[in-house]
Amino acid sequence: SVKGFIFDLDGVITDTAEYHFEAWQNLAKNYDITIDREFNEQLKGISRMDSLDRILNHGGRETDFTEAQKEEMASEKNGEYVKLIEKMTPEHILPGVLDFLNELKEHNYLLGLASASKNGPVILERLNLSGYFDTIVDPSLLAKGKPDPEIFLTAAHQLGVKPEECVGIEDASAGIEAINKAKMFSVGVGDKESMKEADYRLDSTEGLVLDVILNKVK
Ligand code: G6P
Ligand code: MG
């Protein structure tokens, strides 16, 4: 039976996926690289440095910069992103998410956060949600990013439950792949194309309802 729910953050709990997109788009523009929403799907769930590599690759500029320059570019992007998240309040929690978290706590489920973002803990604080999570995986301690299952397996381990006893919730196709490889039940929030591998797909977070999900797991 299900004992734990493991959440992605950006694009699932709050709409920071939009802030990441905006900050990357502005950085890319400085180097004459254009990124659109379709390309952005590939950046969801991917670490800061890997995202930068994909963007440079997309613009055919992967060999134009030194490691030190790339570090500088990544920290410039993060600087803009951090400014955007400073303005966040609990009003930025996506629709249905708070009710769902309360429902999960009422029924004593264990909650974990499996976000690749180093800004995850700060965002949970801004949203007043830190108290809901029994564990947060520190992405800087992982060997591999999504779509590798490591982050979800680590979350289950930290919660003290088996992966098979967990439901994972994601908005990124790399995240769904990670959940599936971890042998958890995957819930995907997003369009049919990017969520095609999800065990259960929702158009929006408003569909996050405990009974409905538990019925699909069976
Ligand atoms: C999440 C987001 C990605 C982001 C990554 C790293 O996975 O979906 O878009 O690049 O976190 O975030 P960070 O805040 O550490 O740059
Ligand atoms: Mg996400």
Side-chain angles (χ1 to χ4, degrees):
S1 64
V2 177
K3 293 186 179 155
F5 282 79
I6 301 177
F7 286 77
D8 173 47
L9 173 67
D10 299 306
V12 169
I13 291 173
T14 183
D15 207 8
T16 37
E18 273 302 308
Y19 295 170
H20 280 294
F21 179 46
E22 199 181 314
W24 279 131
Q25 230 179 1
N26 289 336
L27 182 97
K29 218 178 347 181
N30 296 339
Y31 300 94
D32 295 318
I33 301 171
T34 311
I35 57 175
D36 60 14
R37 281 185 184 278
E38 195 194 336
F39 173 77
N40 186 55
E41 279 305 310
Q42 294 177 42
L43 303 181
K44 291 185 179 174
I46 306 301
S47 77
R48 198 179 304 165
M49 261 310 179
D50 288 349
S51 298
L52 177 61
D53 283 334
R54 286 186 192 207
I55 290 166
L56 295 178
N57 213 42
H58 180 67
R61 303 204 58 181
E62 64 276 19
T63 56
D64 293 359
F65 306 97
T66 63
E67 280 310 308
Q69 285 173 317
K70 290 203 290 182
E71 290 290 346
E72 183 55 40
M73 290 155 92
S75 83
E76 192 182 321
K77 179 267 176 181
N78 190 55
E80 185 181 345
Y81 181 71
V82 165
K83 272 192 205 135
L84 292 169
I85 60 180
E86 271 167 11
K87 299 190 189 88
M88 292 178 79
T89 68
E91 283 176 26
H92 291 82
I93 299 170
L94 282 167
V97 171
L98 193 59
D99 285 343
F100 184 51
L101 291 173
N102 281 320
E103 213 182 357
L104 293 173
K105 291 313 268 185
E106 257 167 52
H107 292 85
N108 297 314
Y109 286 101
L110 292 166
L111 267 57
L113 191 80
S115 169
S117 175
K118 293 177 178 156
N119 293 297
V122 175
I123 295 171
L124 284 188
E125 279 295 314
R126 304 246 17 121
L127 300 176
N128 253 339
L129 292 179
S130 304
Y132 284 86
F133 288 85
D134 299 287
T135 199
I136 297 176
V137 178
D138 178 353
S140 65
L141 302 177
L142 303 172
K144 289 177 178 167
K146 300 169 189 177
D148 190 276
E150 185 181 11
I151 193 166
F152 284 95
L153 294 172
T154 304
H157 181 77
Q158 288 179 192
L159 289 176
V161 295
K162 295 190 192 112
E164 297 86 334
E165 295 168 331
C166 295
V167 172
I169 308 170
E170 264 288 353
D171 72 317
S173 73
I176 294 293
E177 196 179 327
I179 296 170
N180 291 345
K181 284 182 180 153
K183 302 218 169 359
M184 297 179 183
F185 185 85
S186 56
V187 175
V189 182
D191 62 70
K192 284 195 177 119
E193 178 53 29
S194 22
M195 292 295 108
K196 60 174 182 279
E197 303 296 332
D199 292 319
Y200 176 50
R201 187 191 71 85
L202 299 168
D203 280 319
S204 102
T205 51
E206 281 164 296
L208 290 168
V209 176
L210 182 58
D211 289 354
V212 180
I213 293 173
L214 291 178
N215 269 314
K216 301 285 174 187
V217 179
K218 280 174 199 161

